[in-house]
Each structure stands twice: as C-alpha cells, then as structure tokens.
Amino acid sequence: MAAVPPTPTTGQHHDSNIRLHLLGGFRLTHGDTPVVVPRGLQRIIALIGLRPGATRTHLAGLLWPEATEERALSSLRTALWRLRQDPYCPLATAADTVRLDPLVRVDVDLLVDTASRVRDGHSPGDAAEALAAGRHDLLPGWYDDWVLADRERLRQLRLHMLEQVAGQHLAAGRHGEALEAALEAMAAEPLRETPHRLVVRIHLAEGNAFEAVHAFYVYRDLLLRELRLEPSPAMSALLAETLDPIRRASRPSSGPRRHLVTRATSPGPMTVRHRTDPGR
C-alpha cells in the first residue's frame, strides 16, 4: 500500500487518523490522504474490518472458499505479512485471531453503534448523522458471499433503525423529525410497507387527512404496479375512520325509484308502463 502523495510511514500511525470506509465503496484514508490498496488486499482488510477477532481459519475459508484449508491459510499468511509492512493499516493479532488495530475507525461501526443506541431506546446524539449512517450500500460491485450477506444485514439494520427513530419522534410529537426519518427509510426501500405506514400515521397525527389519504394511495398504486399486491389490512385500517365518512357521503342518496312493470294482455302484445313507488 502507498499513500498518495507518498509520505513517510515509519512510526506515524500512532498519532494519525486512519479511517476505513466500506459503505459506498472501499476507501482507506490516513488523515486527509487516501491510501492506495491493491484489490487483493482490499478484500483482506474489508473482511477483517467486518469480522473483528475472527480466526485465521475462518478468514481463510471466506476469502478462498474453493481452495483447500492448507492453501487458503498459506494465502492468508502471505497477505497478512504484506499488510504488516505498512503502518497505515496496522493489524492486531492475538493467538489465532486477527483484527484491525483499534486506532482504525471503520464507518460500518458507526452505523452499528447508532442502531444499537436506537434499539435500546436512546435518541441518537446527532440526528443528521443517524439519518446519513449507512445511506450507501456495503462495497457495491463486490459479489463475494460474505459481502452479500453483510450487505443485506446492514441494509435491514438501517431500515429498522430509521423506522424506530421515526416511531420515537412520532410518540414524542416531533412530527417533522418523524417524517424525515420515515421518508429516509422509504427512499432506501420504496416497496417496504412499514415506512409508508409510518408516513400515513404521521400525517394523521398532524390532522392532515388529505396528505394521509394521498400517501396511502401512492403506495397502493406502487404496490399494485410492481407486485400486483394490495396494502396489508393493518395499513388499510389506519384510514378506516378517515375514509368511512367520505365513503358514506359519496353513496347515492335514497329517493323515488322507478320500476318497470310488465303486463301481458291476451291476445295482444306485451305492454310496458312505468309505476312510481311513493315514499321509496
């Protein structure tokens, strides 16, 4: 690995800001300076960052799943040796485990930590940071099995976090913040019903019946068009009290109705006359 532009490396990493970015693409930075990492070593660094404390055997099996265990471990030893030569990405090993040095800050950890605080009922310290955390997919364009599994895990983690944030703000009456979090979740997964349901609830809590009905039918049309499905009964029930009076008012009013009465006369043809039922 080499920094761009080249800078001295010996003994500088202990007081330097080293960051590993995995969301939105692989980037390793030393302060404001990007560090160039060969693609083969990127996979090693990314996996160690996502699996802190993993054993060598586990790492080797994930990185070289088609190789024999002996050959995979040999490849891992070579890669780790190359990584140890560069202090921009220091490693910490203990017995048979490998992890990044604690001074390396990984962006995935911010998402996981923020989601953990929200799950425990704590409001995130920085609302904007919570909304932005995990906005980009993990390592887009990478198709290793371990990347695909972690990508979906983090995507679901962020969706649930945003929905919990929206629910917390809604319960506290902070409708603007609740709507912002719900819309962020909706943008991440447009077909997911939960954030749409939250948007409807928020509009109803604000007394905006039109916005609530509009949000419901926008989602209903999207779901029918994409999946040929209807919204769940739980979502439809949210608007029952709002729509029922409108539906009742739009039904045809009762009034005099005209009926066709037939009478056959013999031997002449059948004749038809109109009769009005009074009071109906």
Side-chain angles (χ1 to χ4, degrees), residues 181-202:
L183 291 175
E184 186 80 28
M186 186 189 301
E189 182 46 82
L191 292 174
R192 184 179 172 92
E193 181 174 301
T194 313
H196 289 271
R197 197 185 306 170
L198 278 163
V199 169
V200 171
R201 288 176 56 200
I202 294 165

Side-chain angles (χ1 to χ4, degrees), residues 12 23 33 58 79 105 156 161 206 222 238 246 251:
Q12 288 197 2
L23 300 172
T33 304
H58 182 58
R105 301 182 63 183
Q156 291 293 331
M161 177 191 70
E206 291 183 299
L222 174 66
L238 290 175
I246 300 174
R251 289 171 186 162

Side-chain angles (χ1 to χ4, degrees), residues 18-33:
I18 302 177
R19 292 178 178 268
L20 175 60
H21 305 266
L22 302 177
L23 300 172
F26 184 98
R27 286 188 302 120
L28 183 66
T29 59
H30 171 230
D32 295 328
T33 304

Side-chain angles (χ1 to χ4, degrees), residues 151-279:
R151 184 181 298 157
E152 180 60 18
R153 174 179 66 85
L154 294 173
R155 191 181 74 88
Q156 291 293 331
L157 183 70
R158 180 172 187 262
L159 285 171
H160 284 89
M161 177 191 70
L162 291 171
E163 291 163 1
Q164 288 173 316
V165 168
Q168 290 174 0
H169 286 316
L170 176 58
R174 297 187 293 267
H175 299 136
E177 292 90 337
L179 187 60
E180 187 177 8
L183 291 175
E184 186 80 28
M186 186 189 301
E189 182 46 82
L191 292 174
R192 184 179 172 92
E193 181 174 301
T194 313
H196 289 271
R197 197 185 306 170
L198 278 163
V199 169
V200 171
R201 288 176 56 200
I202 294 165
H203 287 314
L204 290 175
E206 291 183 299
N208 294 325
F210 169 77
E211 295 284 0
V213 173
H214 176 71
F216 173 85
Y217 280 106
V218 165
Y219 176 62
R220 180 177 181 268
D221 291 345
L222 174 66
L223 204 60
L224 285 170
R225 183 171 66 252
E226 298 295 332
L227 299 177
R228 309 260 183 208
L229 294 175
E230 288 277 355
S232 72
M235 184 167 184
S236 299
L238 290 175
L239 291 177
E241 293 183 2
T242 301
L243 292 179
D244 281 351
I246 300 174
R247 288 166 177 161
R248 286 196 298 268
S250 63
R251 289 171 186 162
S253 58
S254 58
R257 290 182 294 177
R258 306 183 69 83
H259 300 273
L260 289 177
V261 179
T262 62
R263 182 182 61 178
T265 57
S266 181
M270 181 176 69
T271 61
V272 178
R273 68 183 180 83
H274 288 287
R275 178 168 61 90
T276 300
D277 291 344

Side-chain angles (χ1 to χ4, degrees), residues 8 38 58 62 74 80 91-92 142 144 185 190 194 263:
H58 182 58
L62 291 173
S74 175
L80 293 177
L91 298 175
W142 292 31
D144 305 75
T194 313
R263 182 182 61 178

